[in-house]
Amino acid sequence: MWGNVADWVSGIGSMLAVIIALWVTARDHVTRAKDRQEARKRDALVEDSFRKSAQALYRTLGREAVSARRYNREEKSDADREVMLDELEDVAMKMGEEAKRYQQMSSITVTAYHYLNEFIIVCRLVIGMRAVVDHPDEVDAILETVVAQCEKQTEGVDESELPYYLYHL
């Protein structure tokens, strides 16, 4: 009426197999969810690190551009302005290269890559001023744009949060 022992052992074994399979599936789901959450946290930290590095670069370039703009507004000879632009161009080139090195890191996120790319574009704008060195008003307009972009990107940023080694290139 209730079957033999072999049927019971087989039935109990099948039921245990189903229960264990469900438990393993649930445990794997929880583990994957935790892994995804940790990956998102890690990506956020990496992105924040790259953003702060870019802000340090913006801050330094902005200060250099403010000095160059002040110098450009003084009555200086074209040769003096050209020396000033050479120095600013050197700073922009070094910082642009630093940003490109960050972009090539394997841990960079898409958002951080684009943020650094915006900085590289600002650096190229500075480097491109060579074409208008004979026109102080145009140089001043470009420097004003660079300063405004740098200020916009570093607005509300606490200097103590920025990487010191980048801030003082």
Side-chain angles (χ1 to χ4, degrees):
M1 156 165 142
W2 285 86
N4 63 24
V5 174
D7 290 340
W8 276 95
V9 170
S10 173
I12 291 172
S14 296
M15 188 184 317
L16 284 174
V18 168
I19 290 171
I20 290 172
L22 290 173
W23 177 76
V24 167
T25 302
R27 186 192 65 190
D28 287 348
H29 175 73
V30 169
T31 302
R32 281 193 305 271
K34 285 181 182 178
D35 289 346
R36 282 192 302 270
Q37 185 178 13
E38 287 175 13
R40 281 193 295 271
K41 285 180 182 177
R42 188 174 50 252
D43 286 349
L45 287 172
V46 167
E47 192 169 305
D48 188 54
S49 174
F50 280 114
R51 182 183 53 77
K52 285 180 180 176
S53 295
Q55 287 172 333
L57 293 170
Y58 269 117
R59 179 71 52 97
T60 303
L61 183 63
R63 286 187 174 172
E64 292 293 325
V66 165
S67 295
R69 188 180 65 197
R70 196 174 308 121
Y71 191 84
N72 184 59
R73 289 179 176 172
E74 296 173 3
E75 295 298 320
K76 301 286 183 179
S77 69
D78 286 347
D80 288 340
R81 277 202 333 277
E82 202 163 323
V83 168
M84 175 268 306
L85 289 178
D86 282 341
E87 291 172 4
L88 183 59
E89 185 178 279
D90 286 344
V91 169
M93 288 176 74
K94 286 178 187 174
M95 293 182 166
E97 291 302 317
E98 185 73 20
K100 287 177 188 175
R101 279 193 291 279
Y102 285 140
Q103 284 183 322
Q104 294 170 358
M105 291 182 172
S106 61
S107 60
I108 193 164
T109 63
V110 173
T111 305
Y113 184 92
H114 289 298
Y115 193 76
L116 287 164
N117 201 51
E118 289 176 12
F119 177 74
I120 292 169
I121 291 169
V122 172
C123 288
R124 288 181 184 153
L125 182 62
V126 170
I127 294 167
M129 283 193 305
R130 174 74 46 220
V132 294
V133 71
D134 297 334
H135 305 284
D137 292 339
E138 291 179 27
V139 169
D140 193 58
I142 292 171
L143 288 171
E144 185 68 35
T145 301
V146 169
V147 168
Q149 182 67 17
C150 291
E151 287 175 351
K152 176 184 168 193
Q153 294 297 337
T154 58
E155 186 176 28
V157 174
D158 182 10
E159 280 187 28
S160 66
E161 294 178 5
L162 300 179
Y164 178 82
Y165 63 93
L166 287 175
Y167 188 81
H168 296 87
L169 278 178

